[in-house]
Amino acid sequence: SAVISQKPSRDICQRGTSLTIQCQVDSQVTMMFWYRQQPGQSLTLIATANQGSEATYESGFVIDKFPISRPNLTFSTLTVSNMSPEDSSIYLCSVEWTGVGYTFGSGTRLTVV
Amino acid sequence: GENVEQHPSTLSVQEGDSAVIKCTYSDSASNYFPWYKQELGKRPQLIIDIRSNVGEKKDQRIAVTLNKTAKHFSLHITETQPEDSAVYFCAASPNTGGFKTIFGAGTRLFVKA
Protein backbone atom coordinates (compact mmCIF):
# COMPACT_ATOMS: atom_id res chain seq x y z
CA SER A 1 0.00 0.00 0.00
CA ALA A 2 1.00 3.66 -0.38
CA VAL A 3 2.36 6.11 2.15
CA ILE A 4 0.58 9.44 1.89
CA SER A 5 1.82 12.70 3.36
CA GLN A 6 -0.82 15.36 3.75
CA LYS A 7 -0.34 18.90 4.96
CA PRO A 8 -1.22 21.05 6.73
CA SER A 9 -2.57 18.82 9.49
CA ARG A 10 -4.77 21.62 10.74
CA ASP A 11 -5.43 25.29 10.18
CA ILE A 12 -7.66 28.06 11.43
CA CYS A 13 -8.63 30.44 8.65
CA GLN A 14 -10.54 33.65 8.30
CA ARG A 15 -13.74 33.58 6.29
CA GLY A 16 -13.30 34.75 2.73
CA THR A 17 -9.76 33.41 2.45
CA SER A 18 -8.51 30.26 0.70
CA LEU A 19 -6.49 27.29 1.91
CA THR A 20 -4.53 24.85 -0.24
CA ILE A 21 -4.05 21.31 1.04
CA GLN A 22 -1.23 19.22 -0.34
CA CYS A 23 -1.04 15.47 -0.71
CA GLN A 24 2.14 13.57 -1.64
CA VAL A 25 2.18 9.83 -2.39
CA ASP A 26 5.31 7.71 -2.30
CA SER A 27 4.29 5.79 -5.44
CA GLN A 28 2.79 6.73 -8.77
CA VAL A 29 -0.98 6.44 -8.87
CA THR A 30 -3.43 7.12 -11.66
CA MET A 31 -6.22 8.52 -9.52
CA MET A 32 -6.27 10.39 -6.25
CA PHE A 33 -9.44 11.11 -4.33
CA TRP A 34 -10.40 14.01 -2.10
CA TYR A 35 -12.93 13.43 0.67
CA ARG A 36 -14.60 15.65 3.22
CA GLN A 37 -15.60 14.41 6.65
CA GLN A 38 -17.72 16.79 8.68
CA PRO A 39 -17.69 16.33 12.46
CA GLY A 40 -19.26 13.03 13.43
CA GLN A 41 -20.19 12.26 9.83
CA SER A 42 -19.18 9.85 7.11
CA LEU A 43 -16.79 10.45 4.26
CA THR A 44 -18.15 12.33 1.26
CA LEU A 45 -16.27 12.28 -2.02
CA ILE A 46 -15.50 15.77 -3.32
CA ALA A 47 -13.70 14.87 -6.53
CA THR A 48 -11.41 12.45 -8.29
CA ALA A 49 -8.09 13.96 -9.39
CA ASN A 50 -6.76 12.53 -12.64
CA GLN A 51 -3.28 13.26 -13.86
CA GLY A 52 -3.36 15.10 -17.15
CA SER A 53 -7.04 15.98 -17.18
CA GLU A 54 -9.62 17.97 -15.27
CA ALA A 55 -10.77 16.62 -11.94
CA THR A 56 -14.16 14.95 -11.82
CA TYR A 57 -16.45 16.54 -9.24
CA GLU A 58 -19.33 14.93 -7.38
CA SER A 59 -22.76 16.42 -7.10
CA GLY A 60 -22.74 19.41 -4.79
CA PHE A 61 -19.08 20.27 -5.34
CA VAL A 62 -17.80 22.68 -8.01
CA ILE A 63 -14.42 23.56 -9.39
CA ASP A 64 -14.66 27.24 -8.50
CA LYS A 65 -15.06 26.36 -4.82
CA PHE A 66 -12.68 23.39 -4.71
CA PRO A 67 -10.07 23.73 -7.44
CA ILE A 68 -7.79 20.73 -7.71
CA SER A 69 -4.36 20.37 -9.25
CA ARG A 70 -2.70 17.12 -10.29
CA PRO A 71 0.63 18.04 -11.85
CA ASN A 72 2.10 14.53 -11.73
CA LEU A 73 1.36 10.96 -10.64
CA THR A 74 2.48 11.45 -7.02
CA PHE A 75 1.06 14.82 -6.02
CA SER A 76 -2.24 16.68 -5.78
CA THR A 77 -3.62 19.79 -4.15
CA LEU A 78 -7.13 20.77 -3.10
CA THR A 79 -7.95 24.41 -2.52
CA VAL A 80 -10.91 25.45 -0.43
CA SER A 81 -11.81 28.88 -1.79
CA ASN A 82 -13.66 31.83 -0.32
CA MET A 83 -14.15 29.93 2.90
CA SER A 84 -17.15 30.19 5.21
CA PRO A 85 -17.74 28.53 8.60
CA GLU A 86 -19.70 25.79 6.80
CA ASP A 87 -16.44 24.65 5.21
CA SER A 88 -15.08 23.70 8.63
CA SER A 89 -14.38 20.01 8.29
CA ILE A 90 -11.68 17.40 7.91
CA TYR A 91 -10.37 17.00 4.38
CA LEU A 92 -8.68 13.75 3.41
CA CYS A 93 -6.86 12.68 0.30
CA SER A 94 -6.70 9.02 -0.59
CA VAL A 95 -5.47 6.55 -3.13
CA GLU A 96 -6.74 3.08 -3.85
CA TRP A 97 -4.65 0.05 -4.67
CA THR A 98 -6.00 -3.10 -6.22
CA GLY A 99 -6.57 -5.58 -3.47
CA VAL A 100 -5.84 -3.27 -0.54
CA GLY A 101 -8.61 -0.70 -0.62
CA TYR A 102 -8.11 2.93 0.24
CA THR A 103 -5.13 4.41 1.98
CA PHE A 104 -5.93 7.79 3.46
CA GLY A 105 -3.75 10.75 4.22
CA SER A 106 -3.67 11.91 7.82
CA GLY A 107 -6.27 14.58 7.10
CA THR A 108 -6.45 18.36 7.37
CA ARG A 109 -8.65 19.73 10.13
CA LEU A 110 -9.95 23.06 8.89
CA THR A 111 -11.68 25.60 11.11
CA VAL A 112 -13.10 28.73 9.51
CA VAL A 113 -13.78 31.66 11.82
CA GLY B 1 -25.64 5.88 -8.33
CA GLU B 2 -24.65 3.71 -5.41
CA ASN B 3 -26.25 4.20 -2.00
CA VAL B 4 -24.94 2.46 1.10
CA GLU B 5 -27.01 2.27 4.28
CA GLN B 6 -25.43 1.23 7.56
CA HIS B 7 -27.01 0.16 10.86
CA PRO B 8 -26.91 0.70 13.74
CA SER B 9 -25.51 4.20 14.08
CA THR B 10 -24.40 3.45 17.63
CA LEU B 11 -23.65 0.11 19.25
CA SER B 12 -22.67 -0.54 22.85
CA VAL B 13 -21.49 -4.00 23.99
CA GLN B 14 -19.82 -5.53 27.00
CA GLU B 15 -16.24 -6.61 26.66
CA GLY B 16 -16.12 -10.16 25.41
CA ASP B 17 -19.47 -9.99 23.63
CA SER B 18 -19.91 -9.95 19.87
CA ALA B 19 -20.77 -6.94 17.75
CA VAL B 20 -22.52 -7.00 14.39
CA ILE B 21 -22.82 -4.08 11.97
CA LYS B 22 -24.98 -4.38 8.87
CA CYS B 23 -24.92 -2.59 5.53
CA THR B 24 -27.04 -2.67 2.41
CA TYR B 25 -26.15 -1.35 -1.00
CA SER B 26 -28.19 -0.46 -4.05
CA ASP B 27 -25.95 -0.85 -7.11
CA SER B 28 -25.74 -4.42 -8.36
CA ALA B 29 -22.50 -3.48 -10.15
CA SER B 30 -20.70 -3.16 -6.81
CA ASN B 31 -18.42 -6.09 -6.19
CA TYR B 32 -15.87 -4.87 -3.64
CA PHE B 33 -16.89 -4.22 -0.02
CA PRO B 34 -14.27 -2.87 2.39
CA TRP B 35 -14.66 -2.03 6.06
CA TYR B 36 -12.75 0.80 7.72
CA LYS B 37 -12.07 1.55 11.37
CA GLN B 38 -11.57 5.14 12.45
CA GLU B 39 -10.31 5.86 15.93
CA LEU B 40 -10.87 9.28 17.40
CA GLY B 41 -8.75 11.91 15.67
CA LYS B 42 -7.19 9.44 13.26
CA ARG B 43 -7.58 8.51 9.62
CA PRO B 44 -9.82 5.61 8.53
CA GLN B 45 -7.92 2.34 8.16
CA LEU B 46 -8.94 -0.74 6.21
CA ILE B 47 -9.57 -3.70 8.52
CA ILE B 48 -11.11 -6.27 6.21
CA ASP B 49 -12.70 -6.49 2.78
CA ILE B 50 -14.66 -8.96 0.71
CA ARG B 51 -15.33 -9.41 -2.98
CA SER B 52 -18.52 -10.56 -4.60
CA ASN B 53 -17.20 -13.99 -5.50
CA VAL B 54 -16.82 -14.84 -1.79
CA GLY B 55 -19.58 -15.26 0.78
CA GLU B 56 -17.52 -14.95 3.93
CA LYS B 57 -14.05 -13.90 5.00
CA LYS B 58 -12.44 -14.10 8.41
CA ASP B 59 -9.37 -12.55 9.97
CA GLN B 60 -8.87 -13.52 13.62
CA ARG B 61 -11.73 -11.89 15.58
CA ILE B 62 -13.17 -10.09 12.57
CA ALA B 63 -15.36 -11.61 9.88
CA VAL B 64 -17.41 -10.22 7.03
CA THR B 65 -20.31 -11.89 5.27
CA LEU B 66 -21.84 -10.95 1.95
CA ASN B 67 -25.24 -11.79 0.49
CA LYS B 68 -25.05 -10.50 -3.06
CA THR B 69 -28.60 -11.54 -3.89
CA ALA B 70 -30.03 -9.49 -1.05
CA LYS B 71 -27.37 -6.78 -1.48
CA HIS B 72 -26.27 -6.75 2.11
CA PHE B 73 -23.04 -7.39 3.96
CA SER B 74 -22.13 -7.47 7.63
CA LEU B 75 -19.15 -7.06 9.91
CA HIS B 76 -18.84 -9.40 12.88
CA ILE B 77 -16.42 -8.76 15.74
CA THR B 78 -16.12 -11.51 18.32
CA GLU B 79 -14.64 -11.34 21.82
CA THR B 80 -14.73 -7.56 21.71
CA GLN B 81 -12.08 -5.59 23.56
CA PRO B 82 -12.03 -1.94 24.69
CA GLU B 83 -9.55 -1.15 21.91
CA ASP B 84 -12.23 -2.14 19.38
CA SER B 85 -14.08 1.05 20.36
CA ALA B 86 -14.11 3.26 17.25
CA VAL B 87 -16.27 4.30 14.33
CA TYR B 88 -16.66 1.64 11.66
CA PHE B 89 -17.55 2.45 8.06
CA CYS B 90 -18.72 0.02 5.43
CA ALA B 91 -18.25 0.87 1.77
CA ALA B 92 -19.07 -0.39 -1.70
CA SER B 93 -17.28 -0.02 -4.99
CA PRO B 94 -17.47 -1.48 -8.51
CA ASN B 95 -13.87 -2.64 -8.03
CA THR B 96 -10.53 -1.59 -6.62
CA GLY B 97 -7.87 0.26 -8.53
CA GLY B 98 -9.26 3.74 -8.94
CA PHE B 99 -13.02 3.32 -8.84
CA LYS B 100 -15.24 5.54 -6.74
CA THR B 101 -16.11 4.12 -3.33
CA ILE B 102 -19.30 5.06 -1.48
CA PHE B 103 -19.22 4.95 2.31
CA GLY B 104 -21.95 4.15 4.79
CA ALA B 105 -22.83 6.63 7.52
CA GLY B 106 -20.73 4.87 10.13
CA THR B 107 -21.34 2.95 13.36
CA ARG B 108 -19.91 4.19 16.62
CA LEU B 109 -18.97 1.10 18.65
CA PHE B 110 -18.46 1.34 22.40
CA VAL B 111 -16.96 -1.66 24.18
CA LYS B 112 -17.49 -1.41 27.92
CA ALA B 113 -14.88 -2.98 30.15
Side-chain angles (χ1 to χ4, degrees):
Chain A
S1 61
V3 174
I4 303 177
S5 301
Q6 182 175 343
K7 58 181 181 181
S9 58
R10 59 178 63 229
D11 207 342
I12 300 173
C13 300
Q14 296 290 324
R15 70 175 66 201
T17 63
S18 298
L19 175 71
T20 295
I21 303 167
Q22 299 180 8
C23 196
Q24 178 77 50
V25 187
D26 67 346
S27 304
Q28 293 185 339
V29 293
T30 304
M31 294 185 187
M32 295 176 69
F33 303 88
W34 287 97
Y35 280 86
R36 182 173 73 183
Q37 186 175 30
Q38 295 180 310
Q41 302 295 313
S42 186
L43 298 106
T44 301
L45 183 64
I46 298 171
T48 302
N50 309 299
Q51 196 274 331
S53 64
E54 290 281 334
T56 304
Y57 289 83
E58 297 302 306
S59 176
F61 299 96
V62 294
I63 187 170
D64 290 346
K65 176 67 175 177
F66 297 101
I68 285 171
S69 78
R70 186 78 202 276
N72 57 52
L73 291 173
T74 63
F75 187 78
S76 180
T77 67
L78 170 76
T79 299
V80 186
S81 303
N82 188 26
M83 288 184 285
S84 66
E86 293 72 36
D87 294 321
S88 297
S89 189
I90 296 173
Y91 293 85
L92 297 128
C93 64
S94 68
V95 301
E96 191 177 31
W97 295 97
T98 301
V100 295
Y102 272 125
T103 299
F104 287 91
S106 53
T108 297
R109 183 180 295 272
L110 170 63
T111 303
V112 183
V113 297
Chain B
E2 177 66 278
N3 182 48
V4 178
E5 295 192 356
Q6 182 171 348
H7 300 279
S9 58
T10 305
L11 179 60
S12 184
V13 299
Q14 280 296 134
E15 182 178 4
D17 288 351
S18 295
V20 180
I21 302 170
K22 298 181 179 181
C23 289
T24 61
Y25 62 99
S26 61
D27 190 349
S28 56
S30 291
N31 59 17
Y32 176 65
F33 307 93
W35 287 87
Y36 293 85
K37 175 183 180 182
Q38 187 175 31
E39 297 176 345
L40 189 63
K42 297 188 177 180
R43 74 190 83 184
Q45 298 217 319
L46 179 73
I47 56 171
I48 195 168
D49 56 13
I50 192 168
R51 297 181 184 278
S52 58
N53 58 347
V54 175
E56 183 174 358
K57 184 177 179 180
K58 190 173 182 180
D59 182 3
Q60 299 182 347
R61 296 188 296 109
I62 295 173
V64 58
T65 60
L66 171 66
N67 183 328
K68 198 161 169 59
T69 302
K71 296 200 187 84
H72 64 73
F73 55 113
S74 301
L75 178 72
H76 305 252
I77 306 174
T78 59
E79 301 173 28
T80 53
Q81 301 167 2
E83 51 265 39
D84 294 329
S85 296
V87 179
Y88 292 81
F89 293 99
C90 64
S93 169
N95 211 331
T96 55
F99 291 89
K100 183 169 69 176
T101 296
I102 303 299
F103 288 82
T107 296
R108 187 172 297 276
L109 174 65
F110 297 96
V111 180
K112 296 177 288 187

